[in-house]
Amino acid sequence: TKELFLLIIQDQSVQFLMDELDLPHDRANLFEIIDADGSGTLHVTELVQGLLKIRGEVKKSDAVATLLATKAIQNMVLELKEEQAEFRHTLLKKIEPRQRTSRSESAVMKAA
């Protein structure tokens, strides 16, 4: 759990090991970063893999890669939005004639 993680990382020997691994000094937020599945707990593999991925200083290439990945995701979301709008427009065009027919039939039945 996060509480246990925060307690353990306060230990001096753990701090030393984290320094040796060149992990960031803002360690209170590491739990959320490492908890890849969002379960609120860390499995051993999740912990080890997460710590290995975040060690060392952030490089410019890491920042650029993140920016490019974010832009790619934004483009995908925009494409999905456009496709959804097209689908909605097509669906409404198909439904509209049926609604008119249904209204006409209702009006005829009320008049009778």
Side-chain angles (χ1 to χ4, degrees):
T1 64
K2 183 176 181 177
E3 292 78 20
L4 181 59
F5 177 81
L6 292 174
L7 183 67
I8 290 172
I9 64 170
Q10 291 176 19
D11 183 271
Q12 291 300 318
S13 59
V14 173
Q15 288 286 330
F16 176 77
L17 288 172
M18 293 177 103
D19 288 340
E20 289 295 308
L21 287 171
D22 201 18
L23 293 170
H25 291 285
D26 180 22
R27 295 173 180 162
N29 296 320
L30 287 179
F31 185 87
E32 285 83 10
I33 295 168
I34 298 171
D35 184 20
D37 62 3
S39 66
T41 60
L42 293 177
H43 300 280
V44 174
T45 54
E46 196 175 27
L47 176 65
V48 171
Q49 288 175 354
L51 290 175
L52 290 174
K53 286 180 183 176
I54 60 172
R55 56 190 282 214
E57 292 295 316
V58 176
K59 299 173 190 152
K60 187 174 183 179
S61 61
D62 294 334
V64 170
T66 302
L67 178 65
L68 292 174
T70 302
K71 287 189 179 210
I73 290 170
Q74 286 174 331
N75 287 335
M76 287 190 292
V77 169
L78 184 60
E79 287 175 16
L80 283 171
K81 184 179 176 184
E82 290 169 354
E83 288 174 11
Q84 185 271 337
E86 273 183 47
F87 178 74
R88 183 177 184 269
H89 178 73
T90 303
L91 188 60
L92 288 175
K93 282 174 58 176
K94 289 181 179 182
I95 291 173
E96 197 172 280
R98 291 182 182 162
Q99 288 178 340
R100 285 186 194 145
T101 304
S102 177
R103 287 183 197 142
S104 298
E105 289 172 356
S106 294
V108 168
M109 293 185 107
K110 286 182 183 178

